[in-house]
Amino acid sequence: MTDNWRAATKLVHGGTLRSPYGETSEAIYLTQGFVYESSEAAEARFKGETEGYIYARYGSPTNDMFEKRMCLLEGAEEARAMASGMAAVAAAILCQVKAGDHILAARALFGSCRWVIETLAPKYGVEFTLVDGRDLKNWEAGIRPNTKVLFLESPTNPTLEVVDIAGVAKLANQIGAKVVVDNVFATPLFQCPLELGAHVVVYSATKHIDGQGRCLGGVVLSSKEWIEENLQDYFRHTGPAMSPFNAWTLLKGLETLPLRVKQQTSNASKIADFLAENDKIARVIYPGRADHPQADIVAKQMKGGSTLLAIELKGGKQAAFSLQNALNVIKISNNLGDAKSLITHPATTTHKNLTDEARAELGISPGTLRLSCGIEDADDLIEDLDQALKSVHI
């Protein structure tokens, strides 16, 4: 039955496990371990001869529900819930490489993702190359005989570049490498990387999936075979498991995900059009606009725009700070995907550890701002931005 359900129905009912008490809302199984009827039962459970839970670090009924619901939404066979988005990214990449292997990644990445690839992986003898992911020729040129993983975000953080996922996956398949896609900015509602040929999808569930500023979480989704051969032992023995309480919170977030993303995206589109007409704005980058640099790829692989947009103010850092400080409804924060509209100055926060040259390569100027649109009334957000822009002197 669940195969025929549409996304909104899957996100309310999918994967639900009910106790004998028949609760309406999913139960929180806040336990570290589980008991067995006998020594023989424990032995059989650990041997894998019988199904059941062993230890909360390996899995729990609440986490199981969250994983199954995400699989239904994403079209994946298996998933593992992680303590944070970065736990998911690190696990998805590091579980499948060893010394001597090579990671090929788009250079437009969240700061912590770049740290995993540029700093952490080389400590264990793993090589890397960063390329401008917008052009498939760069991916093709960056492939080596020892390339095992191709990693990308699309749209990217914070400048919303879009990468041709199907094209990258085709190149990876030619050499037997795996494509890992961070799909946070698109959300699972607007882009399905597995359908486009990617092998692994990761999310920071902290963002849209929770969407209400409550808890951290991450998830890795792929085929059953890939998870069993690559991720399972890493997951069991390094301990990045999600708390059952967070899993329950995220289950509640999934129920309203389509409603929130629809309103956030509508707001983002209206705000992008408004800002594009302001003479204090040098450029607006939004995947839903015809002037997006990769509009043709957006049309091919995305079902909607995004809840986020990037703007570049004339006047640099001073103008960006003046705008942020004059806002009333929109709040300054480094988070995104929240019910509340949030604005970020990447050069001094999320991407501050990059060199000036690296930020320039990514299109992050001192005047760049990332706006994550919430579910407020669009007119209130536009009025807030309008009055704030009037206070900016260039």
Side-chain angles (χ1 to χ4, degrees), residues 120-135:
L120 182 60
K123 290 183 178 181
Y124 299 98
V126 179
E127 302 169 356
F128 75 92
T129 302
L130 297 177
V131 297
D132 183 342
R134 295 171 292 183
D135 190 336

Side-chain angles (χ1 to χ4, degrees), residues 360-387:
E361 281 184 346
L362 300 179
I364 303 171
S365 75
T368 299
L369 292 170
R370 184 191 73 196
L371 176 59
S372 173
C373 298
I375 63 173
E376 304 96 340
D377 189 288
D379 289 339
D380 287 330
L381 296 175
I382 289 172
E383 289 173 7
D384 194 29
L385 287 161
D386 187 42
Q387 64 83 24

Side-chain angles (χ1 to χ4, degrees), residues 171-188:
L171 292 172
N173 288 334
Q174 292 173 359
I175 60 169
K178 302 300 182 185
V179 175
V180 180
V181 176
D182 182 337
N183 203 41
V184 167
F185 271 42
T187 81

Side-chain angles (χ1 to χ4, degrees), residues 200-219:
V200 184
V201 182
V202 296
Y203 288 98
S204 171
T206 310
K207 310 303 189 288
H208 301 91
I209 292 171
D210 172 34
Q212 290 153 87
R214 297 170 297 190
C215 70
L216 299 176
V219 61

Side-chain angles (χ1 to χ4, degrees), residues 227-242:
I227 285 183
E228 289 181 349
E229 291 184 359
N230 296 279
L231 183 60
Q232 183 60 20
D233 284 344
Y234 178 102
F235 178 75
R236 286 170 65 99
H237 300 303
T238 63
M242 178 185 289

